[in-house]
Amino acid sequence: MLVDVTGTPDFTRKPKIELHVHLDCSLMKNALHRLGEPINEADFRRIYTAPERCDSLLDYLNAIGPSCAVLQTAPALRIATEELIRALAADGVIYAEIRFAPHTHRNGGLGLDAVMAAVTEGLMAGRAATGIGAGLLLCALRDYPPDRNLPVIELAHRWRDRGVVGVDLAGDEAGHPAATNRAVFDRAHELGLPVTAHAGEAAGPDSLREVIELLAPARIGHGVRAIESEDMLAEIKARNLHLEICPSSNIQVGVFGAYGDHPIDRLSRRGLSLSINTDARTVAPLSLSLEYRRLAKCFGWQTGEFLAHNLEAVRHAFLPAAGKEALSARLVDGWGGKDQVVARTSAQRL
Ligand SMILES: [Zn+2]
């Protein structure tokens, strides 16, 4: 067990924001039932969940195979997206940005626009069924050449009014520098698409610097290895970059040894803008409520920390201002008022 959360509060009913969750790592058991492939819990865990500790990020990425194999038809993509949104709502999430790499869902012969049609149909169905807010982030992949990633950016642009809120760079960080795909993200900026990028997870501050300087993202997926460099911490703060942090996922792929070694609390105390995310709800398996219990247990986080970081998530969500105001008001109300927010300042440096 990663952390014994006995005695911690249940956060299920507290309103939460999730900015970093992958569709192909979050295939729900209900989706398989609806697709006519009922499966018991033990088999579901055995087939679709990665080991609690993987040898590397690459090892973990390989564990996504069975989920990805299912997500190759229009009904599977539609139902998986809808069921993920239902799971997010049941977990108390009021707004989520769900990401996926469209090219990885074409083995059944679907074109890129057919993939988008299926996922957005599921998005709309999920939003209608639950009333929560949800948008899509399309991932370019590090190990793809620019001529394969550029169509993903154009796709995001075409589907922007139909659920897409931004683009991401994902994939094997240690083996593939971001520089290869610089022109791809130049095009995203040209089109005015909000950009986030995975960095500072499987590689350190040099990889973060490369991504920040060449891709100019507004947010970083993970970014946790910024803790290795004072200069990088200062740079992230100076550029007002937001870190989408996924503590359990980092432990699972071996970025840090034990949960208590994770730098999220130190990054928070240093005043960095960050949010709490699952990354993967099935491959882990994990909910945001469980992640909050682990943070409460290991770092003593309470309402103040959780509200503050959810408000930061809204501030950096790829949403228009009006939508942000409404979400912030719901968070403040649901967590018991703004005076609960803990001011994390540089005066609190550890
Ligand atoms: Zn991720």
Side-chain angles (χ1 to χ4, degrees):
M1 191 191 305
L2 212 55
V3 180
D4 177 4
V5 296
T6 311
T8 56
D10 180 2
F11 295 99
T12 311
R13 290 181 177 278
K14 292 291 187 188
K16 296 177 275 298
I17 307 295
E18 174 142 47
L19 299 181
H20 192 132
V21 57
H22 292 258
L23 177 63
D24 61 359
C25 298
S26 305
L27 177 65
M28 295 293 135
K29 191 149 68 79
N30 272 353
L32 292 174
H33 279 265
R34 284 181 60 187
L35 287 164
E37 296 173 36
I39 186 167
N40 64 42
E41 184 64 26
D43 284 345
F44 182 68
R45 291 273 175 128
R46 182 175 54 78
I47 296 169
Y48 295 100
T49 298
E52 202 167 76
R53 306 272 174 162
C54 296
D55 288 338
S56 67
L57 177 61
L58 204 55
D59 207 30
Y60 175 88
L61 292 175
N62 287 337
I64 301 165
S67 300
C68 216
V70 172
L71 299 173
Q72 300 300 333
T73 67
L77 286 165
R78 173 173 53 80
I79 289 171
T81 307
E82 183 190 334
E83 288 298 331
L84 173 55
I85 293 172
R86 287 178 184 272
L88 287 160
D91 191 21
V93 173
I94 57 171
Y95 173 76
E97 291 178 6
I98 299 166
R99 63 187 73 195
F100 66 103
H103 274 300
T104 61
H105 302 288
R106 301 187 60 196
N107 296 346
L110 294 176
L112 288 175
D113 283 287
V115 169
M116 291 307 300
V119 173
T120 52
E121 208 180 308
L123 179 81
M124 301 309 165
R127 293 203 304 213
T130 63
I132 74 167
L136 302 172
L137 298 171
L138 302 193
C139 305
L141 294 178
R142 283 176 179 265
D143 52 330
Y144 284 2
D147 64 354
R148 207 153 177 226
N149 279 328
L150 263 173
V152 175
I153 305 301
E154 301 296 340
L155 194 69
H157 178 59
R158 279 206 301 286
W159 286 81
R160 197 169 176 184
D161 294 335
R162 293 172 282 176
V164 173
V165 297
V167 293
D168 175 36
L169 177 70
D172 177 20
E173 183 187 8
H176 297 273
T180 317
N181 277 291
R182 179 182 188 168
V184 171
F185 286 86
D186 284 348
R187 179 65 180 148
H189 290 300
E190 209 174 277
L191 292 169
L193 285 163
V195 172
T196 178
H198 284 71
E201 178 194 19
D206 289 348
S207 170
L208 269 165
R209 186 168 302 284
E210 182 197 36
V211 160
I212 291 170
E213 287 179 359
L214 300 187
L215 308 191
R219 306 192 319 229
I220 305 272
H222 303 290
V224 284
R225 289 184 58 185
I227 199 75
E228 296 169 17
S229 159
E230 282 299 321
D231 286 351
M232 184 44 62
L233 289 173
E235 176 135 12
I236 287 172
K237 212 166 170 180
R239 290 181 184 244
N240 189 29
L241 285 169
H242 176 83
L243 306 182
E244 306 156 358
I245 297 193
C246 315
S248 293
S249 174
N250 294 154
I251 307 300
Q252 191 171 18
V253 302
V255 181
F256 306 101
Y259 201 94
D261 298 333
H262 195 282
I264 187 168
D265 189 57
R266 281 173 282 158
L267 293 167
S268 170
R269 287 176 185 277
R270 297 292 290 267
L272 269 74
S273 175
L274 62 90
S275 52
I276 309 151
N277 305 276
T278 61
D279 209 7
R281 287 175 170 261
T282 298
V283 174
L286 189 61
S287 66
L288 213 42
S289 302
L290 177 56
E291 193 74 79
Y292 281 35
R293 294 183 79 172
R294 289 173 176 171
L295 290 166
K297 182 74 172 215
C298 283
F299 301 114
W301 280 21
Q302 298 178 15
T303 296
E305 286 86 355
F306 292 123
L307 177 54
H309 292 304
N310 273 291
L311 289 171
E312 280 301 304
V314 169
R315 200 156 73 81
H316 292 269
F318 295 153
L319 269 177
K324 293 186 181 196
E325 277 173 33
L327 286 175
S328 295
R330 283 183 65 190
L331 287 171
V332 169
D333 190 44
W335 286 91
K338 205 158 191 171
D339 54 355
Q340 292 287 344
V341 174
V342 171
R344 296 291 206 182
T345 69
S346 52
Q348 290 176 292
R349 283 185 178 205
L350 291 181

